[in-house]
Amino acid sequence: MDTPNTYRAGPDEQGHFGIYGGRFVAETLMPLILEVEQAYAAARRDPSFQEEIDHFARHYVGRPSPLYFAERLTDHLGGARIYFKRDELNHTGAHKINNCLGQILLARRMGKTRIIAETGAGQHGVATATVCARFDLPCVIYMGEEDIERQKPNVFRMKLLGAEVVPVTSGSRTLKDAMNEALRDWVANVESTFYIIGTVAGPHPYPAMVRDFQAVIGEEVRSQMMAAEGRLPDTLVACIGGGSNAMGLFYPFLDDKAVRIIGVEAAGHGLESGRHAASLTGGRPGVLHGNRTYLLQNDDGQILEAHSISAGLDYPGIGPEHAWLKDTGRVEYVSATDREALDAFQLCSRLEGIIPALEPAHALAHVRKLAPTLPRDHLLVMNMCGRGDKDVFAVAEALGVHL
Amino acid sequence: MTATTDTAAAARTRLTRRFAALRAAGRGGLVTFTTAGDPDFETSFEILSGLPGCGVDVIELGMPFSDPMADGPAIQASSLRALKAGMTLPRTLEMVRRFRARDAETPIVLMGYYNPIYSYGVDRFVSDAVAAGVDGLIIVDLPPEEDAELCRPALDAGLHWIRLATPTTDDRRLPTVLTNTSGFVYYVSIMGITGTRSASAEAVQAAVSRLKRHTDLPVAVGFGIKTPQQAAEVARVADAAVVGSAIVERIAAGLDDAGRPRPGLAGEVLTFVRTLAEGVHAARRG
């Protein structure tokens, strides 16, 4: 594949990143998808829209989040200087709120009166329920029955925030089925309802829109690293389920050719076990949920269930821009197993006093392997995209501890 | 002319011939939907083979998919039953081939989602579908914006491309939807998924009139039609009524606790289809 002049120009007008992306939705949704695209384009041209986002990002979400030098982890691993981008300190405990804030402000501009969302780990559901409470819009969250079992604290949080949580019992009862059910709701309530998609996937313009709302992560890292070290980082590492925290960190650096960029997928029980969630490493291109991207699927094009200890990474697809960045070779994609993530989860808790979510624990698992191989002046940034409070029950169970 | 083009030309005329005959007879048609391989290949084929004898005018055959986003619980379940019983896209084409060997006249339209076709390979699928005797395609997640994917290759091969129009398809968008649509237009009478709400007769009539102002193609109306009476009401104002979930629910009702078809299931399903056809055929178009 030819090297493009810029990696930041996508998508094209049809929503394509190379062959990926697009708008593969039912006709009922198409007029609304086009309306969202127009409304988002208009909002981007309106300075008051960004001012509104900035205001709430600062005073409600708590941005900018710190760029923290993880000194003890750095000493422990004995290689690169490791920085955490502390998006787990955001209001609601993860990066998800960056996107929800942008989308609900757009929904309000469009005059929508009802919000729906899907959630896996519950972080996006909590973030959506939060902004719905703040902006006084009724909120329905679709969540797989299995995830509801794994993420009870977040389910209760959403209910406290006034959202209705609908258990999804179809299919594998996880994130992909929650997304199917949210799409079914949207088709039936298309005039009143805005669907806040939680990751950089779905029909155009969602992948680009969610990326834009998350890009604040990488933009802050640029200026914060310049302030801390006087230069750009050498390596970026982020975990990938749908890929929104990673796109947010990576996007502002895509054209800085000297910056090495690594995405870490969930390898579940191991890639060779077939029980994993690594769409880029273990899948092939297909069409699902409105976009073409890498998918876990069988020979007949039927979508397979993903497996990961992290409910937030448990999705058989990935954002289309990541699919394109993989094919172009700009970003390296690797994976970490459940076991490696659990080990990293505990290590980080003890060394840094930060209990990470299981999702960034996957990124950390790769940092553990990578950092010792790098020189001591190498600057590595890992996106600490969520905190682990929600995961303590699941981790205790995995470690055989009875609470 | 190559053999493939001959088959394609015949395919194109089979569907248009059928709607022309309905128009000449002054009656509306019945279009049925069942999922290929539900609850298993042989039972599904037995039902399929019996449909023309029950008075079905056009057959929609579902290609099962693991994630049918636009379908309600009944068709989701039928799709999963078929997949569990080992149904695949090649076996769906095999089912059409077997049907075609004994029925050269009843049009068959394959309905489903894009990914299994994309996985099979678009060019290979289109030529295999034509060779099997498929007349047209309805692919739910391929809107006009994605016509380069499968719509144009399918039309070039002589398959009909049947598009869904919905209550959200306004007059501004309708020409976009009708471009590259052939065979008939499938009007989705409600906003929502299959087998849930039903539209009022007045709403259907108004929608069909609106479509007819934009196209000469026959208009079939579906989503939420459950009884012979509803089917008849729709067939009075549209060129055809589509019934899916109500038939598929009868397949589900005919399974034992282990999910196996009880003896006589196909017969029971076909009896219901016959009552639908009688309702539709008795309804003269005004």
Side-chain angles (χ1 to χ4, degrees):
Chain A
M1 185 174 290
D2 292 339
T3 304
N5 293 327
T6 171
Y7 290 92
R8 289 159 47 86
D12 67 15
E13 278 183 16
Q14 303 301 312
H16 294 122
F17 302 92
I19 67 162
Y20 303 104
R23 284 175 289 212
F24 297 87
V25 296
E27 177 56 31
T28 312
L29 290 179
M30 229 15 249
L32 183 68
I33 296 281
L34 296 172
E35 192 190 332
V36 171
E37 185 186 341
Q38 283 169 7
Y40 178 56
R44 286 189 75 180
R45 288 192 300 268
D46 179 355
S48 72
F49 181 66
Q50 190 57 49
E51 281 165 21
E52 207 177 1
I53 290 177
D54 291 346
H55 171 81
F56 285 102
R58 180 175 172 85
H59 297 285
Y60 189 64
V61 175
R63 301 212 74 90
S65 68
L67 182 69
Y68 163 74
F69 174 51
E71 188 176 2
R72 291 198 66 210
L73 185 68
T74 296
D75 288 347
H76 177 79
L77 296 178
R81 288 173 67 79
I82 299 162
Y83 282 83
F84 291 163
K85 178 58 174 166
R86 302 284 307 274
D87 254 51
E88 103 280 11
L89 292 176
N90 292 340
H91 181 41
T92 73
H95 68 290
K96 292 291 185 184
I97 191 131
N98 303 329
N99 166 48
C100 290
L101 181 61
Q103 286 200 48
I104 203 161
L105 292 175
L106 183 65
R108 271 166 34 118
R109 289 171 81 97
M110 293 175 69
K112 297 297 176 184
T113 56
R114 178 175 175 268
I115 300 292
I116 59 170
E118 84 296 337
T119 197
Q123 292 303 96
H124 175 59
V126 167
T128 304
T130 298
V131 294
C132 285
R134 176 59 186 78
F135 294 101
D136 193 22
L137 286 172
C139 176
V140 177
I141 304 290
Y142 289 92
M143 187 168 186
E145 214 173 34
E146 186 172 323
D147 291 337
I148 285 180
E149 189 53 40
R150 289 195 282 190
Q151 304 288 343
K152 284 178 190 158
N154 271 345
V155 174
F156 187 57
R157 268 181 206 120
M158 285 184 265
K159 289 180 179 169
L160 281 173
L161 292 160
E164 181 191 346
V165 181
V166 180
V168 175
T169 56
S170 56
S172 61
R173 294 171 293 147
T174 59
L175 183 53
K176 88 174 166 78
D177 309 285
M179 200 151 177
N180 289 338
E181 216 52 46
L183 284 165
R184 288 177 187 125
D185 178 313
W186 205 21
V187 168
N189 299 289
V190 66
E191 281 169 351
S192 66
T193 299
F194 190 97
Y195 179 12
I196 298 189
I197 293 180
T199 192
V200 285
H204 177 64
Y206 279 94
M209 180 167 70
V210 177
R211 174 200 69 198
D212 294 345
F213 291 142
Q214 292 293 0
V216 66
I217 298 171
E219 286 155 10
E220 286 176 5
V221 166
R222 279 185 87 90
S223 56
Q224 288 169 323
M225 190 57 98
M226 288 304 290
E229 301 274 1
R231 64 184 183 89
L232 292 183
D234 299 300
T235 299
L236 306 174
V237 182
C239 65
I240 300 195
S244 71
N245 92 82
M247 267 330 297
L249 175 64
F250 298 170
Y251 184 68
F253 293 97
L254 289 177
D255 284 339
D256 299 290
K257 301 284 163 60
V259 179
R260 184 181 179 193
I261 304 181
I262 303 171
V264 186
E265 295 190 289
H269 296 207
L271 292 179
E272 67 294 338
S273 72
R275 293 174 59 82
H276 60 80
S279 330
L280 288 173
T281 331
R284 62 191 169 86
V287 172
L288 181 72
H289 292 156
N291 57 175
R292 185 185 350 252
T293 189
Y294 278 78
L295 298 172
L296 300 180
Q297 55 184 318
N298 71 12
D299 290 344
D300 193 43
Q302 308 297 336
I303 309 306
L304 298 173
E305 292 178 24
H307 292 275
S308 170
I309 190 171
S310 151
L313 303 181
D314 206 348
Y315 179 68
I318 179 144
E321 194 166 6
H322 283 295
W324 177 73
L325 290 169
K326 173 193 164 74
D327 284 7
T328 56
R330 175 63 187 98
V331 177
E332 298 165 49
Y333 293 92
V334 298
S335 64
T337 64
D338 286 353
R339 171 49 57 191
E340 291 168 330
L342 275 169
D343 290 346
F345 180 95
Q346 295 169 82
L347 182 75
C348 185
S349 300
R350 290 186 185 183
L351 282 181
E352 292 292 347
I354 296 171
I355 301 177
L358 279 171
E359 291 79 18
H362 285 74
L364 193 60
H366 188 71
V367 169
R368 270 184 92 174
K369 294 180 209 167
L370 182 65
T373 69
L374 298 170
R376 287 181 183 269
D377 61 352
H378 190 99
L379 302 179
L380 186 154
V381 176
M382 190 206 93
N383 197 9
M384 182 62 78
C385 61
R387 57 179 173 244
D389 308 42
K390 70 183 173 64
D391 292 316
V392 292
F393 296 101
V395 170
E397 193 188 321
L399 299 177
V401 177
H402 293 282
L403 296 179
Chain B
M1 207 181 241
T2 67
T4 309
T5 319
D6 277 342
T7 320
R12 189 179 281 282
T13 57
R14 194 153 43 212
L15 191 58
T16 48
R17 263 206 316 269
R18 180 55 54 99
F19 275 103
L22 288 169
R23 194 169 289 192
R27 67 173 180 86
L30 174 65
V31 181
T32 59
F33 173 93
T34 51
T35 302
D38 172 30
D40 58 49
F41 189 95
E42 290 308 325
T43 311
S44 175
F45 183 66
E46 192 184 343
I47 294 168
L48 183 69
S49 307
L51 292 174
C54 293
V56 172
D57 299 296
V58 176
I59 293 171
E60 278 178 24
L61 188 63
M63 298 173 280
F65 182 48
S66 54
D67 294 78
M69 278 94 62
D71 284 298
I75 292 177
Q76 289 173 42
S78 82
S79 213
L80 294 181
R81 283 195 298 271
L83 292 174
K84 204 172 162 195
M87 204 59 190
T88 60
L89 188 53
R91 298 198 78 208
T92 299
L93 293 173
E94 168 61 23
M95 188 175 283
V96 176
R97 250 191 312 275
R98 274 173 64 176
F99 176 89
R100 216 24 105 215
R102 58 168 81 177
D103 183 323
E105 282 306 312
T106 310
I108 291 194
V109 172
L110 292 181
M111 184 165 185
Y113 297 81
Y114 183 39
N115 197 56
I117 295 170
Y118 182 67
S119 172
Y120 189 88
V122 165
D123 292 342
R124 180 174 156 230
F125 171 78
V126 163
S127 70
D128 289 359
V130 169
V134 172
D135 299 284
L137 302 173
I138 305 175
I139 308 300
V140 179
D141 53 356
L142 285 177
E145 282 73 8
E146 303 292 349
D147 271 359
E149 296 284 335
L150 178 61
C151 168
R152 284 191 212 117
L155 287 170
D156 288 348
L159 290 166
H160 286 288
W161 185 260
I162 295 117
R163 199 105 69 182
L164 304 179
T166 76
T168 61
T169 315
D170 59 19
D171 284 338
R172 205 166 39 123
R173 180 160 171 85
L174 204 45
T176 307
V177 168
L178 291 170
T179 304
N180 289 339
T181 297
S182 71
F184 64 97
V185 181
Y186 185 148
Y187 181 67
V188 175
S189 59
I190 53 145
M191 281 188 280
I193 51 180
T194 51
T196 50
R197 300 183 265 197
S198 305
S200 70
E202 297 75 47
V204 169
Q205 180 147 30
V208 171
S209 304
R210 183 167 75 92
L211 287 171
K212 293 281 186 185
R213 285 199 297 275
H214 288 267
T215 180
D216 294 329
L217 289 170
V219 177
V221 175
F223 280 44
I225 302 174
K226 290 178 176 299
T227 65
Q229 293 72 24
Q230 285 174 322
E233 273 177 25
V234 166
R236 214 165 276 135
V237 298
D239 296 292
V242 188
V243 184
S245 296
I247 298 170
V248 163
E249 278 164 8
R250 276 171 175 75
I251 295 176
L255 303 174
D256 66 19
D257 291 343
R260 286 181 303 253
R262 282 198 287 259
L265 181 149
E268 287 163 24
V269 171
L270 290 171
T271 299
F272 174 64
V273 170
R274 196 181 302 273
T275 65
L276 291 169
E278 283 163 359
V280 165
H281 293 172
R284 302 295 299 186
R285 301 193 56 212

